Amino acid sequence: MPTFSKSHKISILSREQERKRKDIMRAEKRLIHAATMWVRRQPPKVKAFLAVVSGMAALVLLRFIVHDHDNLFVAAESVHSLGISVLIYKLTKEKTCAGLSLKSQELTAIFLAVRLYCSFVMEYDIHTILDLATLATTLWVIYMIRFKLKSSYMEDKDNFAIYYVVIPCAVLALFIHPSTSHNLMNRIFWAFCVYLEAVSVLPQLQVMQNTKIVEPFTAHYVFALGVARFLSCAHWVLQVLDSRGHLLVALGYGLWPSMVLISEIVQTFILADFCYYYIKSVFGGQLVLRLPSGVV
């Protein structure tokens, strides 16, 4: 009867464990693929229903896990900063800005600058410091795209006309803004930055739709934006639920309280489709994200 050394037994055991691990991973991929294909076969109404149910389930989970919901807002800003850190790595190490939208960065800088001004004159707190840091890094990204890495900037793909969003947001802010005791212009500025933030990512999504292929660092950045927007939306929704609607009253009267929630929900759903394909790509082991037509 053959005898095996201890090292040989360990080697056999390791190979067996590795085989089981690979079998589990293959089973998980098959399950994910089957679920993905089932969702893709569903009509749009069913997909929308599934998205709403998933969002509600995530909100319920966050409500029980996170006791101080202000932490969700801080987490949203932190994730946004993390996404910009990914951009900084891409620009400094890869030496290219291909796939990035300069217009999205400029819209982001505009709403951050306006929100920073409003924070200084209306409510100076931790959010002001986070916005200042995010604005500084965003301006640096704009500088790199415009001057240092201009040769790799895909200007022909970044063809979204930003006045399509800036002008409507400004007009909307003139008519629907907070009804607090602050100066009227400050209230209009605050509403403007809320509306502009909701749609600032549209040029970036347009670039990705035009190219169809999204390299990893850009995909990580946009996914971080999606997570940040969801956390910010969750913060507002949970605050309203916990206050039993009193928060809406504190925000003022008229359409403004509803517009705040709508803006948060809109910016979350704008990125929901991309986040779906991102997660699918990651679980599928694909480093490069390929978007089908009509995602944006």
Side-chain angles (χ1 to χ4, degrees), residues 1 70 114 119 166 176 202 228 260 284:
M1 184 176 181
D70 281 337
V114 175
S119 295
V166 173
I176 305 177
L202 287 178
V260 172

Side-chain angles (χ1 to χ4, degrees), residues 48-89:
F49 173 75
L50 292 173
V52 171
V53 170
S54 300
M56 291 176 64
L59 285 175
V60 171
L61 182 63
L62 286 173
R63 188 173 188 180
F64 286 103
I65 293 177
V66 182
H67 299 291
D68 186 355
H69 296 147
D70 281 337
N71 292 335
L72 290 175
F73 197 87
V74 176
E77 293 295 324
S78 301
V79 173
H80 189 182
S81 300
L82 181 62
I84 294 180
S85 299
V86 172
L87 281 192
I88 292 174
Y89 181 86

Side-chain angles (χ1 to χ4, degrees), residues 76-92 100 104-105 108-109 111-112 130-142 217-218 220-225 228-229:
E77 293 295 324
S78 301
V79 173
H80 189 182
S81 300
L82 181 62
I84 294 180
S85 299
V86 172
L87 281 192
I88 292 174
Y89 181 86
K90 171 187 171 72
L91 297 177
T92 55
L100 293 179
S104 258
Q105 296 302 316
T108 300
F111 85 71
L112 282 172
L130 291 172
D131 279 344
L132 181 61
T134 306
L135 176 60
T137 51
T138 301
L139 291 174
W140 181 84
V141 169
I142 292 173
F217 289 114
T218 303
H220 298 336
Y221 164 68
V222 178
F223 180 71
L225 287 184
R229 299 290 167 84

Side-chain angles (χ1 to χ4, degrees), residues 242-254:
D242 284 353
S243 66
R244 297 183 179 181
H246 294 303
L247 178 63
L248 294 178
V249 177
L251 289 173
Y253 53 84

